[in-house]
């Protein structure tokens, strides 16, 4: 190879690399526009506090008409959907407690899937204001197997939003399933609490067959605001005591339809970067932000 040809080849390779990184910078920038990380850190069960007040947002006649219209349009495209109960995030905050721990506090009321579908669209927001949106609470989790692989899934075509996209295990918190009755601290009576950790454990089991006893550690990583879908997401990180092969076996025994397939990515810098570079255009709304908050919290990337 002549010196000129060598120089031209080096120039082309260098410019290709620059263009590639520019492309992924743009992808990351667009993901951050859609999803804003509001809080990040590591929060155990004792650091995630929930104040729940039963009751739903009151909408006027015209707002309810628009919600009904958008819901019927949605059902025409997603006939398997149903109007299930959800938690509405009214406000959130983080603070340092007297024992020096950083904590998150969420204030929740009630909403449902119809209100979510009907209020998340630009027409509703332009007419009635963003403060009227349903703003439901969801949760997602980055799971690491015993053989050090991340678990992801490809969403099925039968679900709402991000059809066939790659995603972490995720789902909505459910007032019918994630309010637990426990003893008061003095043991004299019972109290109902919203248990977000229980909610994500439930989602993990429903979608993969992985039980709570398969999870060694589960940590909340903060709060993500999904600007595209107008909802709040609580990201988690979990480590398992079972291998990827055992996950496949457990998954084969579930009846879940959220994922059409389960995928594994080696939990190291090179593998995650290669996966993100190769698949970023197939990610769900929240996957990029969830992996970003995971990498920051674990100091991996």
């Amino acid at each position: 190879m002549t010196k000129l040809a060598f120089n031209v080849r080096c120039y082309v390779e260098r410019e290709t690399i620059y263009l590639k990184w520019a492309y992924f910078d743009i992808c990351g920038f667009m993901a951050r526009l859609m999803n804003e990380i509001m809080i990040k850190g590591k929060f155990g069960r004792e650091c995630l506090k929930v104040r729940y007040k039963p009751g739903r947002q009151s909408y006027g006649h015209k707002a309810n008409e628009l919600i009904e219209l958008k819901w019927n349009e949605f059902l025409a495209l997603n006939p398997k959907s149903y109007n299930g109960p959800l938690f509405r995030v009214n406000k959130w905050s983080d603070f340092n407690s007297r024992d020096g721990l950083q904590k998150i506090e969420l204030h929740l009321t009630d909403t449902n899937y119809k209100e979510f579908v009907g209020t998340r669209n630009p027409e509703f927001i332009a007419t009635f204001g963003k403060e009227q949106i349903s703003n439901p609470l969801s949760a997602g989790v980055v799971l690491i197997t015993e053989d050090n692989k991340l678990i992801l899934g490809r969403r099925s075509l039968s679900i709402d939003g991000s059809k066939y996209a790659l995603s972490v295990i995720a789902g909505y918190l459910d007032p019918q399933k994630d309010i637990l009755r426990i003893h008061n601290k003095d043991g004299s009576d019972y109290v109902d609490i919203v248990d977000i950790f229980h909610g994500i454990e439930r989602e993990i089991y429903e979608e993969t067959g992985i039980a709570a006893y398969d999870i060694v550690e589960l940590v909340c990583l903060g709060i993500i605001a999904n600007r595209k879908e107008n909802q709040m997401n609580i990201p988690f990180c979990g480590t398992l005591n079972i291998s990827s092969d055992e996950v496949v076996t457990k998954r084969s025994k579930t009846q879940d339809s959220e994922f059409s397939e389960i995928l594994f990515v080696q939990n190291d810098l090179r593998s995650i970067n290669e996966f993100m570079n190769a698949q970023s255009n197939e990610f769900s709304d929240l996957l990029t932000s969830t992996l970003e908050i995971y990498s920051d919290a674990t100091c991996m990337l």
Side-chain angles (χ1 to χ4, degrees):
M1 180 183 295
T2 67
K3 184 175 182 180
L4 176 61
F6 177 77
N7 289 338
V8 169
R9 177 180 175 182
C10 290
Y11 173 81
V12 171
E13 289 180 349
R14 184 176 72 248
E15 292 304 309
T16 301
I17 291 171
Y18 288 160
L19 287 172
K20 184 177 180 181
W21 280 109
Y23 168 75
F24 293 118
D25 284 345
I26 291 171
C27 290
F29 175 71
M30 294 302 294
R32 285 188 288 275
L33 285 180
M34 291 190 297
N35 305 291
E36 183 178 356
I37 296 175
M38 313 303 294
I39 300 173
K40 61 182 176 181
K42 285 187 175 182
F43 306 89
R45 289 178 184 267
E46 73 283 1
C47 296
L48 189 55
K49 304 297 181 183
V50 177
R51 296 185 182 275
Y52 170 60
K53 184 178 181 180
R56 288 169 53 203
Q57 175 88 357
S58 177
Y59 294 105
H61 177 68
K62 289 189 177 299
N64 280 321
E65 280 189 338
L66 183 55
I67 290 171
E68 193 70 30
L69 173 64
K70 295 300 179 182
W71 174 247
N72 289 330
E73 291 175 352
F74 174 79
L75 283 181
L77 299 174
N78 302 274
K80 292 184 179 181
S81 296
Y82 71 98
N83 184 24
L86 303 171
F87 289 110
R88 182 180 196 267
V89 181
N90 282 350
K91 62 179 181 179
W92 53 266
S93 62
D94 64 329
F95 61 94
N96 290 320
S97 62
R98 292 180 180 179
D99 53 9
L101 293 175
Q102 184 186 12
K103 297 187 177 183
I104 294 175
E105 183 171 88
L106 293 168
H107 291 250
L108 306 179
T109 52
D110 294 307
T111 185
N112 58 43
Y113 201 57
K114 179 194 287 189
E115 291 176 349
F116 173 42
V117 169
T119 66
R120 69 185 177 185
N121 65 87
E123 182 181 350
F124 182 93
I125 294 171
T127 305
F128 301 103
K130 196 158 188 175
E131 66 277 2
Q132 297 293 312
I133 63 173
S134 174
N135 202 32
L137 180 64
S138 65
V141 60
V142 177
L143 285 179
I144 303 98
T145 64
E146 190 178 43
D147 50 342
N148 201 34
K149 294 180 181 179
L150 302 184
I151 302 174
L152 301 175
R154 187 176 296 281
R155 292 162 67 88
S156 71
L157 295 176
S158 62
I159 60 173
D160 166 30
S162 301
K163 298 177 188 293
Y164 206 61
L166 298 173
S167 176
V168 292
I169 297 163
Y172 293 104
L173 276 294
D174 188 334
Q176 294 181 347
K177 299 177 181 178
D178 300 322
I179 296 179
L180 305 184
R181 176 158 290 187
I182 63 172
H183 277 292
N184 244 330
K185 290 183 178 179
D186 60 8
S188 60
D189 204 352
Y190 291 93
V191 61
D192 291 335
I193 65 163
V194 178
D195 191 333
I196 297 178
F197 278 77
H198 173 270
I200 193 61
E201 288 174 341
R202 173 183 56 77
E203 284 292 335
I204 292 169
Y205 180 72
E206 289 176 358
E207 295 183 13
T208 66
I210 297 170
Y213 55 76
D214 298 317
I215 303 172
V216 176
E217 183 182 32
L218 191 61
V219 179
C220 169
L221 299 179
I223 298 177
I224 299 173
N226 184 339
R227 304 302 189 190
K228 181 181 178 182
E229 295 294 335
N230 291 308
Q231 61 179 308
M232 304 298 289
N233 180 269
I234 305 291
F236 284 82
C237 173
T239 54
L240 306 179
N241 57 18
I242 58 175
S243 68
S244 53
D245 287 342
E246 291 173 286
V247 171
V248 171
T249 300
K250 287 176 176 286
R251 161 68 181 167
S252 67
K253 298 177 182 178
T254 67
Q255 302 298 317
D256 177 73
S257 60
E258 290 282 332
F259 289 142
S260 59
E261 62 176 317
I262 292 290
L263 300 91
F264 298 98
V265 180
Q266 193 65 36
N267 186 32
D268 61 61
L269 174 62
R270 173 177 293 183
S271 299
I272 293 175
N273 276 339
E274 287 178 352
F275 172 79
M276 293 181 70
N277 291 346
Q279 307 286 348
S280 61
N281 62 328
E282 298 184 36
F283 286 179
S284 66
D285 297 335
L286 282 167
L287 182 56
T288 301
S289 297
T290 303
L291 288 179
E292 178 184 340
I293 202 170
Y294 163 70
S295 64
D296 286 348
T298 59
C299 301
M300 176 188 293
L301 302 179

